[in-house]
Amino acid sequence: MINPTIMRNTLLFALLISLINVNSLFAVAGGSEEGGQINTKEEINEYIQHHLQDSHDFTFWTNGKTGSHIGFHLPVILWSDGLHVFSSGKFDYGHEVAESNGKYFTLYHGKVYETNADGEINLDEEGHATNAKPLDISITKNVVGMLLTSLLMFLGFISLAKGYNKRSIPKGIGRILEPLVIYVRDEIARPNIGSKYEKFIPYLLTVFFYIWILNLLGLTPLGFNVTGNIAVTVGLALITFFVTQFSGNKDYWKHIFWMPGVPIPMKIILMPIEVLGMFTKPFALLIRLFANITAGHVVVMSLIALIITMRSQFGIVASSSISFGLAFFITLIELLVAFLQAYIFTMLSALFIGMAVEEHH
Amino acid sequence: MYNLIGAGLIVIGAGIGLGQIGGKAMEGIARQPEASGKIQTAMIIIGALLEGLAFGALILAG
């Protein structure tokens, strides 16, 4: 049933991804060799936590031995009584205090705080910083990922749309995109939304490809974790929420506030439940995407980290082969999950929109 | 400690639910192979709804 070429290419892709991923952590592991067994567990934990978070620098890997980072700096844009724009190189990965227009900023646990010239961070009893936080609208790593995805989608779909002027069959990358576009239209939008589906196709297509490409980027060693960031999924779910509410017709609101066909006491009981339902639907949407992608990243990184934890027992060759084998199969599953989560998000968005625009008789 | 027990209970519940969904979908497909496409779609949707609930509870527990 599945085309053997597609299967072979998928396997090759997963192989490549897991190879590079294993390789990049290998560089990190090699660096901390001097430290021996000291705090390996905490080090790995910190490494995974660091990967899951957004960052002001784009780091490919860190040499633990020399502490040098390979990557590039990103622009920091802050608003605090005026605009402050400077390169994140000024922070030097949190070691330095950055000065801009007479104000001092310090990077503390990945967040920017306003400090004095010495970079003093005041902590409360629970260890949270109490310094003033400027409005941070920097181009962080996640923003780079989103811009990259937007650019890829823009180029791909513009070329696909232009191709139809010349010939009826797309060529190049359009051959991959066209069946997916038709799939979203015929299998997701039409059956779930009904006759008014055309108005919502642009949104559904955008959200589908956006999530899918971001999920796939997250599997590459570039180290993006965009869809595994709760702020991003909240944004996506909010758009679905507003699209649903604003396209809701009279029947939809009637079913929420004054359910027809049930006795009056029941109407009163149902009203708060239905109002709550308006919010729980997109909430489940955002939690599902966030938790799935985060869990996937943690599993892949933990399996790769087996190289370090098993090295003392099995030696470097055996531990890397075991880790590579496991990471390879999980990567295959993650490729499926990447698609499935994009599909589910689009499908449920279509379902919710369909509920709102449905015609009752 | 208690949140770990809670997380375990959530996973047990979600596992039973997913098993029910998958099993029933299999039965349905075996009875009507020509409807397998529709059954699969419905199965994935219900599975996703269940998953959302389980993940939400797990995050609260953790």
Side-chain angles (χ1 to χ4, degrees):
Chain A
M1 216 166 106
I2 299 167
N3 189 326
T5 325
I6 296 177
M7 223 163 126
R8 199 187 57 214
N9 289 345
T10 315
L11 279 171
L12 274 176
F13 184 59
L15 199 72
L16 196 72
I17 285 178
S18 31
L19 238 174
I20 305 172
N21 274 341
V22 167
N23 219 351
S24 63
L25 198 109
F26 207 70
V28 181
S32 58
E33 206 164 2
E34 305 283 289
Q37 287 295 81
I38 308 166
N39 292 334
T40 315
K41 202 175 159 190
E42 271 129 59
E43 227 170 85
I44 292 168
N45 247 333
E46 202 178 295
Y47 188 71
I48 294 176
Q49 282 302 325
H50 183 79
H51 165 78
L52 292 179
Q53 273 174 2
D54 199 0
S55 132
H56 282 86
D57 297 281
F58 202 112
T59 313
F60 293 112
W61 61 73
T62 309
N63 188 336
K65 215 180 278 177
T66 58
S68 64
H69 302 262
I70 297 161
F72 48 88
H73 298 299
L74 297 167
V76 177
I77 305 165
L78 303 171
W79 179 269
S80 169
D81 303 329
L83 199 63
H84 303 270
V85 182
F86 51 92
S87 158
S88 68
K90 265 193 176 180
F91 288 130
D92 192 22
Y93 303 94
H95 301 309
E96 298 276 335
V97 182
E99 188 269 332
S100 168
N101 294 343
K103 290 217 172 204
Y104 295 93
F105 300 102
T106 308
L107 201 60
Y108 181 70
H109 284 293
K111 294 215 166 58
V112 180
Y113 293 97
E114 257 177 67
T115 53
N116 54 15
D118 300 327
E120 219 172 273
I121 296 272
N122 308 312
L123 301 174
D124 61 10
E125 299 87 54
E126 282 150 30
H128 299 298
T130 52
N131 289 48
K133 266 162 99 178
L135 182 65
D136 192 354
I137 42 173
S138 312
I139 312 284
T140 55
K141 199 167 85 175
N142 283 356
V143 179
V144 170
M146 287 191 260
L147 290 175
L148 183 67
T149 309
S150 311
L151 188 73
L152 284 177
M153 279 168 68
F154 197 71
L155 293 176
F157 286 104
I158 291 286
S159 78
L160 175 66
K162 275 194 178 153
Y164 286 117
N165 293 333
K166 285 179 232 145
R167 58 189 94 72
S168 56
I169 302 165
K171 71 173 178 90
I173 193 81
R175 293 238 172 117
I176 307 168
L177 296 176
E178 196 200 55
L180 288 165
V181 170
I182 291 176
Y183 179 78
V184 172
R185 187 192 67 187
D186 290 352
E187 304 294 328
I188 298 179
R190 198 146 44 188
N192 288 314
I193 300 180
S195 55
K196 289 183 193 150
Y197 73 96
E198 271 186 344
K199 209 169 80 183
F200 302 103
I201 289 258
Y203 171 61
L204 294 177
L205 281 174
T206 311
V207 90
F208 176 79
F209 283 101
Y210 188 70
I211 294 175
W212 189 41
I213 295 173
L214 279 176
N215 284 351
L216 288 180
L217 273 183
L219 290 177
T220 62
L222 291 175
F224 290 119
N225 181 31
V226 185
T227 37
N229 185 316
I230 198 147
V232 176
T233 57
V234 165
L236 288 169
L238 265 182
I239 301 172
T240 293
F241 175 72
F242 285 125
V243 169
T244 313
Q245 306 314 324
F246 285 124
S247 54
N249 58 14
K250 214 171 66 193
D251 282 325
Y252 171 70
W253 292 109
K254 203 172 163 190
H255 273 80
I256 286 178
F257 289 112
W258 209 241
M259 184 73 84
V262 293
I264 299 256
M266 203 62 198
K267 284 183 205 264
I268 293 163
I269 297 169
L270 276 177
M271 191 170 67
I273 297 174
E274 288 284 333
V275 170
L276 199 67
M278 271 165 58
F279 297 100
T280 50
K281 280 178 207 156
F283 181 74
L285 214 56
L286 78 91
I287 289 289
R288 180 179 309 113
L289 183 60
F290 159 72
N292 257 299
I293 303 301
T294 306
H297 278 245
V298 171
V299 169
V300 170
M301 306 252 334
S302 317
L303 286 178
I304 293 172
L306 277 182
I307 298 177
I308 309 166
T309 44
M310 299 200 310
R311 188 173 52 188
S312 53
Q313 287 101 325
F314 299 105
I316 196 93
V317 177
S319 65
S320 3
S321 343
I322 293 169
S323 152
F324 172 73
L326 292 170
F328 172 59
F329 285 108
I330 287 294
T331 309
L332 272 181
I333 294 173
E334 283 304 308
L335 279 175
L336 176 73
V337 169
F339 180 81
L340 203 66
Q341 288 310 314
Y343 169 76
I344 296 270
F345 197 99
T346 320
M347 172 71 112
L348 290 177
S349 294
L351 209 68
F352 298 155
I353 295 169
M355 282 177 193
V357 299
E358 199 180 9
E359 294 288 344
H360 290 274
H361 307 289
Chain B
M1 180 62 200
Y2 288 115
N3 56 4
L4 287 181
I5 296 172
L9 287 173
I10 294 161
V11 173
I12 289 172
I16 292 171
L18 274 176
Q20 290 270 340
I21 297 164
K24 290 280 169 9
M26 289 286 168
E27 276 174 26
I29 292 172
R31 262 189 219 141
Q32 294 217 308
E34 64 273 19
S36 60
K38 278 184 182 173
I39 294 172
Q40 264 169 13
T41 311
M43 180 183 80
I44 290 174
I45 292 176
I46 306 289
L49 290 173
L50 173 70
E51 193 187 52
L53 192 76
F55 272 135
L58 273 182
I59 284 175
L60 287 181

